[in-house]
């Protein structure tokens, strides 16, 4: 049988694979995508970003309804359980799949359903779910096979009360109590979702602070609001044994403590999808986390094979994976790519309740580097728009250079923080003198808006240096 020949074969249809495939096809190349799942979109669409954000939006709506003075009297009659939220999330997933399938169809990118394995640097074997085998040949290959939750030995993930972030979407009940083990971004987001759904939540952190890569003031606020909302946070705990029976799950910790709850969500680490994909045959090394090492152009040690997205490790974000895919395809096809992903300028969007977003260094990092910075704060509770919408929890914090007034970092938490951040990011990414605190002081903002927080924070910081 003849082996179809492609300019580029992409493995995986998550944001990394999609970005790569779309860039290559727009450059008039013959492109194929191999996806082992029946529907395109990757973990991002089916188990990660999209479902978790849809669940969060759903629960946020329920909370708003329950708390709103106009609906308070009728709200108690409506109960919403976790399976209801999942149904809502599934509708969003279906829409996303439809949109993404359209991209491949319209651009004539062939999508092969099956498990890809490299036979050599130019030949890929596809084993379809129906048991057939096909072979594709390609000038260049881009691996975007993503990652999956890490499953430690000794935890029985087949037990109906033990879940990870992939399987939680199939939980058929609403637990009265749930333990989330791992307080990284995914753990904190799910702790917020379950607490706001009315579950009693234990959030177990293996470290001493929540999300320690964030600014201290922001993580303090997150810890305060999670606790204020009823989440029990345990820092510095390490599990020794997980025991599950028909009625619940008990975690025994090395500290001697014990927590029992109706369900366990294990959210502690991820591993790259690289097993059985022929990397040993082609000579691409895989590290202990299942990840592939790449250079600044996303090239592996084999010059025509690139890798992008979660399978190459940090920052492990859908937002970054898409750009990495485009940049890798550009370099593969043209031998150069002028744009680089500047990891330090990638914003963080964390959809806890309250939401968190930031770009740029923390106060501690600036202090360590001896940068003379000043801070401007705006508390949401003082903004007219926040008072009108009732979303008064939150703060915008601008870090700026005392002498040049250049914006150095933006840290925000509260309603719509992930959106609000981008206003400041647009100014912060300009070259001097356009990147200046004065932009926010001298520009008229719509009123009332949440964006007004920038004016308030800028004035707060500016007045602080001027009153010295
Ligand atoms: C709960 C959760 C919430 C998240 N929230 C956010 C968020 O809010 N914002 C954000 O930016 N990021 C978020 N992320 C991270 C984001 O989902 C990932 O960074 C993103 O999905 C990575 O994209 P990718 O293209 O590398 O891989 P993936 O999206 O994982 O896609 C990889 C694809 O490759 C396929 N594949 C694997 N092996 C093979 C093979 N051998 N043959 C064929 N196909 C194969 C898989 O089936 C999959 O479809 C979240 C993740 C999780 C788990």
């Amino acid at each position: 049988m003849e082996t179809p020949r492609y300019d580029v074969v992409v493995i995986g249809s998550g944001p990394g694979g999609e970005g790569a495939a779309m860039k290559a096809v727009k450059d008039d190349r013959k492109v194929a995508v191999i996806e082992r799942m029946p529907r395109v979109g990757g973990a991002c669409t089916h188990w990660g970003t999209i479902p978790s954000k849809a669940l969060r939006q759903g629960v946020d709506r329920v909370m708003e309804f329950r708390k709103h003075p106009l609906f308070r009297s009728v709200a108690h009659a409506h109960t919403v359980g976790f399976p209801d939220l999942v149904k809502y999330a599934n509708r969003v997933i279906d829409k996303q799949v439809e949109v993404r399938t359209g991209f491949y169809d319209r651009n004539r990118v062939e999508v092969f359903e099956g498990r890809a394995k490299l036979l050599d640097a130019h030949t890929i074997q596809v084993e379809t779910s129906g048991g057939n085998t096909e072979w594709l040949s390609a000038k260049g290959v881009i691996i975007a096979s993503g990652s999956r939750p890490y499953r430690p030995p000794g935890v029985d993930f087949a037990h109906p009360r033990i879940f990870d972030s992939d399987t939680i979407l199939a939980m058929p009940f609403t637990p009265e109590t749930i333990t989330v083990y791992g307080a990284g971004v995914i753990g904190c987001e799910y702790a917020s979702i379950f607490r706001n759904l009315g579950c009693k939540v234990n959030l177990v952190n293996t470290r001493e602070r929540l999300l320690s890569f964030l600014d201290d003031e922001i993580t303090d606020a997150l810890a305060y609001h999670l606790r204020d909302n009823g989440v029990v946070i345990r820092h510095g705990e390490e599990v020794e044994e997980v025991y599950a029976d028909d009625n619940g799950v008990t975690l025994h910790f090395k500290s001697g403590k014990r927590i029992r709850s109706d369900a366990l969500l294990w959210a502690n680490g991820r591993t790259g999808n690289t097993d059985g994909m022929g990397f040993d045959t082609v000579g691409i090394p895989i590290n202990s986390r299942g990840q592939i090492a790449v250079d600044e152009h996303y090239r592996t040690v084999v010059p025509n094979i690139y890798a992008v997205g979660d399978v190459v490790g940090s920052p492990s974000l859908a937002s970054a994976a898409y750009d990495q895919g485009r940049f890798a395809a550009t370099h593969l096809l043209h031998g150069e790519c002028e744009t680089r992903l500047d990891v330090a300028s990638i914003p963080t969007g964390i959809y806890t309740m309250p939401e968190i977003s930031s770009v740029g260094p923390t106060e501690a990092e600036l202090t360590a580097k001896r940068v003379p910075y000043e801070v401007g704060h705006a508390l949401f509770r003082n903004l007219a728009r926040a008072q009108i919408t009732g979303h008064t929890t939150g703060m915008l914090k601008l870090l700026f250079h005392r002498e040049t007034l250049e914006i150095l970092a933006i840290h925000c938490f509260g309603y719509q923080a992930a959106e609000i951040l981008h206003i400041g990011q647009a100014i912060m990414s300009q070259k001097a003198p356009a990147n200046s605190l004065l932009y926010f002081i001298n520009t008229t903002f719509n009123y009332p808006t949440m964006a007004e927080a920038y004016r308030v924070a800028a004035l707060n910081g500016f007045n602080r240096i001027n009153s010295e």
Side-chain angles (χ1 to χ4, degrees), residues 10-19 33-53 112-117 124-127 143-149 165-166 168 185-187 189-190 270 273-277 279 308-313 315-322 324 347 349-351:
V10 177
I11 302 177
S13 69
E18 185 185 302
V33 170
I34 307 169
E35 171 54 62
R36 65 182 176 184
M37 301 306 292
R39 301 199 297 168
V40 297
C44 173
T45 302
H46 297 280
W47 307 286
T49 314
I50 298 300
S52 61
K53 263 77 271 182
F112 289 81
E113 186 198 323
R115 190 173 284 271
K117 181 178 179 181
I124 308 107
Q125 172 183 297
V126 187
E127 271 180 36
I143 316 289
S145 51
S147 65
R148 62 181 185 277
S165 65
D166 282 2
I168 193 77
V185 173
I186 294 171
E189 287 187 356
Y190 268 107
R270 294 185 69 80
N273 292 327
T274 43
D275 314 346
M277 289 179 69
F279 292 117
V308 298
D310 278 17
V311 77
V312 303
S316 295
L317 289 170
S319 51
Y322 190 86
Q324 290 173 337
I350 301 169
Y351 298 82

Side-chain angles (χ1 to χ4, degrees), residues 216-238:
D216 287 352
E217 208 172 345
I218 302 291
T219 45
D220 285 350
L222 175 68
Y224 170 81
H225 286 287
L226 285 176
R227 283 199 170 110
D228 191 47
N229 206 2
V231 175
V232 176
I233 305 173
R234 303 260 182 231
H235 291 297
E237 294 287 359
E238 211 182 318

Side-chain angles (χ1 to χ4, degrees), residues 5 66 75 87-88 109 139 149 194 205 254 265 290 346 372 392 427 436 460-461:
R5 294 184 63 81
R66 285 200 184 130
K87 267 191 220 152
Y88 168 69
V109 173
K139 287 185 198 155
F194 282 111
N205 187 11
K254 289 192 174 155
L265 169 59
I346 295 176
T392 47
I427 297 302
S436 169
N460 174 262

Side-chain angles (χ1 to χ4, degrees), residues 135-183:
W135 293 270
L136 312 183
S137 96
K139 287 185 198 155
V141 179
I142 300 180
I143 316 289
S145 51
S147 65
R148 62 181 185 277
Y150 168 69
R151 292 183 163 190
V155 181
D156 176 12
F157 286 91
H159 193 280
R161 291 182 178 273
I162 299 182
F163 304 90
D164 61 26
S165 65
D166 282 2
T167 57
I168 193 77
L169 300 165
M171 185 167 69
F173 60 95
T174 309
E176 233 169 77
T177 53
I178 185 164
T179 299
V180 179
Y181 185 80

